[in-house]
Amino acid sequence: MTLVAENTKSMTAPKDSDVVLSVQGVSKKFCRDFKSALFYGVQDISSEVLGLRGDHNDTLRKKEFWALQDVGFELHRGEALGLVGKNGSGKSTLLRIIAGLIKPDVGTVTVKGRVAPLIALGAGFNPVLTGRENIYANMSILGLSREEIDDRFDDVVAFAEIPDAIDSPVRSYSSGMQARLGFACAIHTEPEILLVDEVLAVGDMRFRAKCNRKLHHLREKGLSFVLVSHNAQSIFNLCETCVYLSKGELIISGDTEEVVKKYEEDLYSTELVSHEGDFSIPQKPVGESLGVDITRLYFKDLSGNPCESPKTGELAIFCVEYKANISVKNAGLVLVIKEVAGEGDILLILSSFNDKIPLDIKIGRHELQVHMPHLGLTPGSYIMQVFIRKDSIFTYDYIESFIFKINSEIAMGRSLFHQSRTWKQIDI
Amino acid sequence: MVSHSSSTPPTPEPESRLRVPQRNPKPVAIQVYRPASEMRQPLKLMRRMGADLLASRELAWQLMKRDISAQYRESFLGVAWAIIPPIIASAGFAFAASADVINVGVTDIPYPAYVLLSTALWQTFSESVMLPMQKVGSARMMLAKIQFPREALILAAMGQVLFNFAFKLLLVTGMFLWFRLAVPPTIVLAPVALLHMVLFGTVLGMFLAPLSALYQDFQKGMQLLLGTWLFLTPVVFPPPSSDGLFGLLVRFNPVTPLLVTTRELMAVGTISDPQGFWLVSGLTFVGLLVAWLVYRLAMPYAIERFSS
């Protein structure tokens, strides 16, 4: 995939005349309080209708906050821009302003050409109607004339891979089929700018790969797009420039690698952890302790020395130090591991209960260890939840997020995990 | 095509076959979104409204087709639902009148035909109030995600109202044949009056549509209001001649001249209150412009509230 990024980089030398989207100093207020929102809504509508609303609405009313504050960037023809940020950072709001659905409170957005929002996969699909009828309805909502839809109809059906189901109600489609049809409709409107909002997470791997290929192909033809994600990896594959939003503010923009690095750094720093890979927990107040407290989490390497970032394929020993006032028979340790920048999917669960290995908690300071002979995790950043439990339900103590990094000296390619192996030649 | 080779073997895809014939490329439109009220540039706003209205015709047609076919697809009785309510209503009232349970005055045409025609007209009016709200309400997802001419939803609603009326007309025709009623030549003017009535309803619906997408109260309240309003309109009774409070209410009810005129053009041939008709029609056209403006300008703020 890095090869792809390099290739596309050289293809797009931005020129000023080629700016298709320009966002300048855009701010937007929001209000979460239901009653105030109603009141402000009516207030805004009246000042809009009476022509009282100007270009600088920069005073916050009571209970309002900035959903976006002074955000600006440019998008050139044939360029792909990534928009990263955690949920609630204002990505979707920005996308809605670019699509012209809501108005900014300060600043301007200039758009050249047709914008097709992929935030709207299948919006307007009526489950009762057939795929054919829905293609016509959906594509005319996206701004095509009947003639244009006639021209593209076969391509849409072929791309969505639903030739047999085209005359059955959309209700009878699988969710994958619906997503495919939605994507096919949006992509065949041939827009100048495509807004993609996390949608590539739908459908199976094969179709996702097909969508990515299609997006690359369209880019070669000069399509620009804005890709929104909280997952940095999908941005890496498609975009060379990137904008990072946090709480409505633009933190950094520019080269994807740099921006994503900053984004991932911030993801750690917002967690409670100060020492990456080695974490000592302060003594709990007496009332909060259930008798067993985790005091330190860290890794040991092959030679038994503490080590901040274990290596893929090598022995890693994960140590859980505890202090106990009681002794517990048949206790156990559960580790739940996720990717820091992932979609929240659990990658790995290690449980001494599942493995039917009873561990005993003894009074005093001791340590529980997990030996992992050939660590299977690939290089990257991970977040781990650690539980000391009894009977797999009662939790004595837990750590919500222990963050650690994995390094590697072996080439991983695009593998999702490490398989330890030996190669042999046998003569028979 | 370098990009493919690295990851996956190329598979034949529609784009490589390129079957889309080349049409003349449209000029690239430049859109600027700024915070200031659009009312500050009235000429530009009017030009944009006109352009959007033109652009929305085809979309409105597609939406109308979609909604009409969806409306009757999953129902056993199908299109019959357009004519069942007036049949039931008029049968009920005709029965009550013949049994002297209710006392209506003398109507221009036989009472059952009178009630049937009037209910069909009233229901057309009430649909023209409710449908714009319902359309906007059910298109919330779409509105929050796609920029399309918002006028299309209103046009589609009006189209659907007229489509439903066409079916009711079949019923009314049957009734006229049954009673062997002569149709006056003025019937050719009836569509104009009908359109004015539908426009009046649409004005109300359009005014409330953005807010009703936010709060259900508006739709429910309007439904309730229409239920009462029916009895202040000469639908199941002839226009009262007395000047009592009731007669006054009926007379100052703006739907009265529109509905009565349409009915008279269809069945009688003489118009009893032309001034009232033109007065309300004039108000309707002014109201239409204002409602359209408010609908357009309010929509982004409504979307802001229901999309977050």
Side-chain angles (χ1 to χ4, degrees):
Chain A
M1 278 297 181
T2 43
L3 191 67
V4 175
E6 276 159 26
N7 280 329
T8 43
K9 234 171 251 178
S10 58
M11 277 188 315
T12 53
K15 280 173 273 168
D16 275 356
S17 59
D18 271 355
V19 174
V20 288
L21 168 67
S22 151
V23 176
Q24 288 166 330
V26 165
S27 301
K28 182 78 201 165
K29 298 181 268 192
F30 262 150
C31 175
R32 286 218 182 85
D33 183 71
F34 183 76
K35 276 190 180 148
S36 316
L38 169 65
F39 178 68
Y40 294 151
V42 173
Q43 203 178 10
D44 286 344
I45 291 173
S46 355
S47 64
E48 172 79 35
V49 172
L50 298 174
L52 299 173
R53 191 181 150 93
D55 267 327
H56 293 279
N57 309 287
D58 48 6
T59 41
L60 285 180
R61 292 166 288 192
K62 221 175 151 190
K63 288 183 182 167
E64 276 188 329
F65 63 95
W66 291 109
L68 280 178
Q69 199 166 16
D70 198 20
V71 173
F73 60 84
E74 278 184 348
L75 179 68
H76 297 88
R77 194 174 143 75
E79 202 179 50
L81 180 105
L83 208 55
V84 290
K86 288 197 284 186
N87 288 333
S89 57
K91 292 170 298 178
S92 299
T93 307
L94 184 55
L95 226 53
R96 289 209 167 97
I97 293 176
I98 294 172
L101 299 166
I102 60 180
K103 294 179 77 165
D105 282 321
V106 186
T108 54
V109 173
T110 312
V111 182
K112 245 184 240 175
R114 168 148 58 195
V115 177
L118 270 189
I119 35 176
L121 275 196
F125 274 179
N126 188 319
V128 181
L129 300 180
T130 66
R132 181 186 303 276
E133 290 165 311
N134 271 310
I135 289 177
Y136 275 94
N138 198 41
M139 288 184 86
S140 36
I141 295 166
L142 290 168
L144 260 59
S145 70
R146 203 195 149 78
E147 261 183 335
E148 289 171 314
I149 304 172
D150 284 338
D151 287 347
R152 290 158 209 209
F153 187 82
D154 292 339
D155 287 351
V156 173
V157 177
F159 190 88
E161 301 166 16
I162 49 161
D164 304 327
I166 193 64
D167 286 311
S168 334
V170 163
R171 198 186 35 196
S172 68
Y173 289 18
S174 68
S175 60
M177 283 162 91
Q178 287 193 23
R180 293 209 298 265
L181 187 60
F183 185 88
C185 284
I187 210 103
H188 282 89
T189 53
E190 295 188 6
E192 274 80 23
I193 305 168
L194 198 60
L195 307 178
V196 186
D197 190 358
E198 309 260 7
V199 284
L200 295 182
V202 299
D204 52 279
M205 277 293 279
R206 195 186 58 80
F207 187 71
R208 258 189 279 179
K210 188 175 170 181
C211 293
N212 277 324
R213 281 202 300 279
K214 180 80 184 173
L215 290 179
H216 273 295
H217 180 82
L218 288 171
R219 268 192 66 188
E220 284 162 28
K221 285 167 60 180
L223 174 100
S224 329
F225 54 91
V226 180
L227 182 72
V228 169
S229 187
H230 62 259
N231 175 4
Q233 203 52 48
S234 53
I235 301 259
F236 255 135
N237 295 339
L238 284 163
C239 311
E240 65 270 18
T241 54
C242 206
V243 169
Y244 166 28
L245 290 179
S246 175
K247 290 180 186 157
E249 282 178 73
L250 194 152
I251 304 295
I252 178 176
S253 66
D255 185 56
T256 299
E257 232 174 285
E258 222 172 286
V259 175
V260 167
K261 199 171 149 229
K262 171 79 179 148
Y263 172 53
E264 292 195 331
E265 272 172 23
D266 285 7
L267 275 179
Y268 310 135
S269 65
T270 52
E271 308 295 338
L272 291 163
V273 183
S274 51
H275 300 290
E276 199 175 285
D278 189 344
F279 183 30
S280 299
I281 298 101
Q283 180 85 43
K284 267 189 198 173
V286 185
E288 280 179 28
S289 172
L290 292 169
V292 183
D293 296 329
I294 299 173
T295 52
R296 184 181 171 204
L297 302 172
Y298 66 105
F299 281 99
K300 275 184 187 164
D301 63 8
L302 209 57
S303 42
N305 299 321
C307 124
E308 280 197 1
S309 41
K311 294 192 173 95
T312 306
E314 293 186 5
L315 171 74
I317 304 167
F318 182 62
C319 311
V320 179
E321 221 180 75
Y322 67 84
K323 183 172 164 280
N325 305 327
I326 48 170
S327 71
V328 185
K329 288 251 175 236
N330 298 325
L333 190 61
V334 179
L335 311 177
V336 179
I337 299 175
K338 298 174 187 174
E339 270 181 295
V340 165
E343 306 274 350
D345 294 334
I346 292 173
L347 220 55
L348 186 62
I349 297 179
L350 301 174
S351 156
S352 63
F353 297 105
N354 291 352
D355 295 348
K356 305 218 162 48
I357 308 289
L359 302 171
D360 293 341
I361 302 282
K362 295 179 206 149
I363 295 177
R365 275 181 183 276
H366 298 278
E367 199 169 85
L368 297 171
Q369 292 189 340
V370 195
H371 287 242
M372 296 172 274
H374 303 282
L375 190 63
L377 296 172
T378 55
S381 304
Y382 297 90
I383 182 164
M384 174 158 46
Q385 289 169 300
V386 182
F387 302 87
I388 294 184
R389 285 182 177 161
K390 187 178 79 177
D391 307 331
S392 81
I393 293 172
F394 184 84
T395 300
Y396 280 106
D397 195 13
Y398 70 98
I399 299 299
E400 185 56 46
S401 52
F402 170 69
I403 295 193
F404 61 96
K405 244 189 197 144
I406 302 280
N407 286 333
S408 174
E409 281 164 5
I410 5 175
M412 295 295 303
R414 298 196 304 156
S415 307
L416 291 175
F417 68 94
H418 169 74
Q419 169 63 58
S420 72
R421 68 263 177 176
T422 50
W423 304 91
K424 283 179 187 170
Q425 285 192 90
I426 311 262
D427 297 323
I428 31 171
Chain B
M1 293 298 284
V2 239
S3 52
H4 291 183
S5 49
S6 63
S7 48
T8 26
T11 45
E13 273 170 30
E15 74 245 14
S16 52
R17 282 181 268 138
L18 202 74
R19 277 176 288 147
V20 176
Q22 286 299 311
R23 292 185 187 279
N24 292 336
K26 289 179 189 165
V28 175
I30 298 183
Q31 285 277 4
V32 181
Y33 303 115
R34 53 173 72 252
S37 163
E38 287 188 80
M39 288 297 277
R40 294 191 168 189
Q41 293 171 301
L43 276 179
K44 208 170 162 188
L45 174 63
M46 271 158 67
R47 234 177 295 138
R48 207 175 289 161
M49 283 168 79
D52 277 355
L53 186 64
L54 283 180
S56 63
R57 286 171 310 174
E58 196 160 333
L59 173 56
W61 177 249
Q62 290 291 343
L63 288 177
M64 193 184 100
K65 263 193 357 201
R66 181 194 73 173
D67 292 342
I68 290 176
S69 38
Q71 185 182 355
Y72 299 121
R73 177 105 8 138
E74 286 200 315
S75 112
F76 185 65
L77 293 170
V79 192
W81 279 113
I83 55 175
I84 290 172
I87 294 184
I88 302 285
S90 63
F93 279 108
F95 180 69
S98 69
D100 281 334
V101 177
I102 53 169
N103 182 23
V104 290
V106 184
T107 49
D108 310 326
I109 52 175
Y111 187 67
Y114 179 90
V115 176
L116 192 71
L117 177 56
S118 307
T119 345
L121 289 175
W122 172 261
Q123 266 155 7
T124 303
F125 168 73
S126 113
E127 271 178 21
S128 67
V129 178
M130 295 308 294
L131 268 182
M133 294 202 249
Q134 282 166 12
K135 290 267 175 212
V136 172
S138 60
R140 275 162 52 149
M141 279 287 284
M142 238 165 78
L143 285 164
K145 292 183 163 178
I146 310 175
Q147 173 65 30
F148 62 93
R150 274 69 171 104
E151 285 78 6
L153 290 173
I154 303 296
L155 284 183
M158 281 175 68
Q160 200 172 337
V161 169
L162 293 176
F163 175 88
N164 289 346
F165 179 74
F167 268 94
K168 295 188 178 92
L169 207 56
L170 284 179
L171 186 71
V172 173
T173 313
M175 197 61 143
F176 270 52
L177 289 174
W178 177 262
F179 283 100
R180 292 166 193 273
L181 291 171
V183 174
T186 49
I187 193 158
V188 294
L189 295 174
V192 179
L194 179 79
L195 197 65
H196 287 194
M197 189 179 73
V198 170
L199 282 178
F200 179 70
T202 308
V203 167
L204 295 182
M206 199 164 28
F207 250 123
L208 297 175
L211 283 174
S212 75
L214 279 181
Y215 305 100
Q216 298 199 339
D217 313 45
F218 288 90
Q219 263 195 58
K220 291 196 169 134
M222 191 36 104
Q223 211 116 42
L224 208 65
L225 181 68
L226 283 168
T228 324
W229 201 343
L230 164 68
F231 290 99
L232 294 178
T233 315
V235 173
V236 296
F237 54 84
S241 44
S242 69
D243 272 347
L245 175 66
F246 181 71
L248 230 61
L249 280 175
V250 172
R251 185 177 303 164
F252 285 107
N253 170 0
V255 188
T256 303
L258 295 175
L259 191 139
V260 169
T261 305
T262 313
R263 186 175 58 212
E264 285 169 345
L265 287 172
M266 287 175 87
V268 187
T270 52
I271 302 171
S272 55
D273 184 14
Q275 293 94 339
F277 174 75
W278 285 113
L279 184 69
V280 178
S281 295
L283 286 177
T284 299
F285 288 118
V286 176
L288 191 64
L289 266 178
V290 178
W292 184 10
L293 209 64
V294 171
Y295 171 75
R296 246 188 98 93
L297 296 177
M299 204 47 105
Y301 298 95
I303 289 171
E304 203 173 285
R305 306 286 165 203
F306 65 64
S307 66
S308 57

